[in-house]
């Protein structure tokens, strides 16, 4: 087919001269680790989400989730409920703390965790629900909060895909869960190379997460070198972690955050084009957000319908032959050896996610992609499936 044309990768970060300049400024400043840039990034991020939030920058969303679960007191013997259709980071953090993950199936339309399955999975050991706003489409949060309230358990949102998304007019991060974790990994909707942010409205949780982010030190390093008490003095009040975000990443994040509204507009435009121009093919196209709501469109996940004449793997191969990268989000956790074997999980327990997995592929959708690139992806899919 079009193998003479340049390969269209599945994802590619959108970083330009402003990002290079920001990183160079930090390199020239003499302060590379957590400092003024990361501080400013935290403030600007909280403002971006609408303010009235504590935002704590860390070196990954995995770290953010770990800090949140630790801060709400998750420990050995506890259970947290999460969807099977997610990245392992959502639940591996429960294992760090000696707690167990209880995986549940997803809704066939949204591919977000199914509230009815959450309710059925609750036990006396359940301490938290971990909704994942899959691909950037907000979960049914009213139903999830109602279950959490009824059973007196916490909600920690895995918002790695949901920057920025809204639910009933409110930005994800502002819904009142204990905490929400965002990712700035290289392929997310904005990047700091590696990085994450945990946000909460709860001052006590924020204080605990700040301390645990850096070794359980009662003041962070920058404070130590910029306040009037002796610089060498600090106190360890807990066995904390090493999860702080360096200023190189913070500076990168500040530039990306300023560009985020433009990134979102471009993603929305590309998603609308895919939805329009792929209709009519034997595909289940991803659900859009309800009218007036923001879908972050971190990913564009197709599912082959019953009418498709080729398998998912054949479609992936044909797209690859046409010079187009794809991915699968995700091999569900119930099929991952560690989770499968630890909890004795079988595909029949997760019929929706399992069928979705067998039929799904994610196609390129990122701001560094041109209209012509997108036209090639659309044309290739028509040729393969039409
Ligand atoms: C990317 C991702 C994470 C982890 O983010 P990192 O910043 O790489 O730690 C967690 N959950 C989901 C759903 C993700 O997609």
């Amino acid at each position: 087919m079009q193998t003479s044309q340049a390969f269209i990768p599945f994802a590619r970060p959108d970083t330009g001269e402003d990002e290079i300049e920001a990183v160079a400024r930090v390199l020239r400043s003499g302060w590379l680790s957590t400092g003024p840039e990361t501080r400013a990034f935290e403030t600007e991020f909280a403002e971006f989400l609408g303010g009235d939030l504590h935002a704590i920058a860390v070196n990954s969303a995995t770290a953010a989730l770990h800090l949140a679960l630790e801060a709400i007191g998750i420990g050995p013997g506890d259970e947290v409920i999460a969807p099977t259709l997610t990245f392992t980071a959502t639940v591996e953090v429960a294992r760090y703390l000696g707690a167990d993950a209880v995986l549940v199936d997803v809704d066939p339309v949204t591919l977000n965790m199914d509230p009815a399955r959450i309710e059925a999975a609750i036990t006396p050991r359940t301490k938290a629900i971990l909704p994942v706003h899959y691909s950037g489409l907000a979960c049914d949060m009213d139903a999830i909060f109602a279950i959490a309230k009824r059973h007196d358990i916490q909600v920690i949102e895995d918002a790695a895909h949901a920057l920025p998304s809204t639910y009933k007019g409110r930005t994800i991060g502002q819904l009142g869960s204990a905490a929400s974790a965002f990712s700035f990994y290289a392929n997310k909707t904005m990047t700091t190379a590696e990085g994450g942010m945990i946000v909460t409205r709860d001052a006590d949780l924020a204080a605990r997460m700040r301390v645990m982010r850096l070794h359980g030190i009662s003041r962070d390093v920058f404070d130590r070198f910029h306040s009037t008490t002796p610089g060498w003095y600090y106190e360890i009040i807990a066995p904390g972690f090493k999860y702080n975000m360096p200023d190189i990443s913070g500076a990168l994040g500040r530039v990306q955050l300023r560009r985020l509204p433009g990134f979102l507009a471009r993603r929305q435009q590309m998603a609308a084009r895919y939805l329009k121009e792929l209709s009519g093919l034997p595909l289940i196209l991803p659900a859009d957000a309800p009218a007036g709501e923001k879908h972050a469109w971190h990913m564009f996940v197709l599912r082959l319908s019953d009418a498709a004449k080729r398998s998912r793997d054949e479609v992936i191969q044909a797209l690859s032959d046409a010079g187009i990268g794809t991915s699968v989000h995700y091999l569900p956790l119930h099929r991952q050896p560690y989770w499968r074997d630890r909890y004795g999980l079988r595909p029949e327990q997760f019929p929706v996610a399992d069928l979705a997995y067998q039929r799904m592929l994610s196609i390129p959708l990122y701001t560094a992609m041109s209209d012509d690139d997108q036209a090639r992806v659309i044309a290739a899919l028509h040729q393969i499936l039409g």
Side-chain angles (χ1 to χ4, degrees), residues 60-62 65 86-87 89-90 132 158 160-161 183-185 188 195 330:
S60 72
T62 309
L65 289 163
T86 188
F87 184 57
T90 309
V132 179
D158 181 338
H161 301 175
S183 175
F184 311 126
Y185 178 67
K188 295 299 202 299
Y330 297 88

Side-chain angles (χ1 to χ4, degrees), residues 315-377:
V315 173
I316 285 177
Q317 185 58 54
L319 284 167
S320 173
D321 293 344
I324 295 165
T326 57
S327 191
V328 172
H329 296 96
Y330 297 88
L331 179 66
L333 297 181
H334 67 260
R335 282 180 179 256
Q336 291 289 5
Y338 173 75
W339 299 107
R340 180 194 65 207
D341 296 346
R342 177 167 180 89
Y343 298 120
L345 303 175
R346 288 168 289 108
E348 312 85 81
Q349 296 170 276
F350 308 91
V352 178
D354 206 74
L355 180 65
Y357 157 67
Q358 292 172 47
R359 303 275 184 94
M360 69 171 35
L361 67 152
S362 305
I363 59 174
L365 192 167
Y366 47 96
T367 58
M369 190 175 160
S370 69
D371 287 341
D372 286 349
D373 289 341
Q374 195 181 10
R376 267 180 62 196
V377 176

Side-chain angles (χ1 to χ4, degrees), residues 66-78:
H66 186 197
L67 289 175
L69 292 190
E70 197 278 339
I72 65 166
I74 299 290
D78 293 339

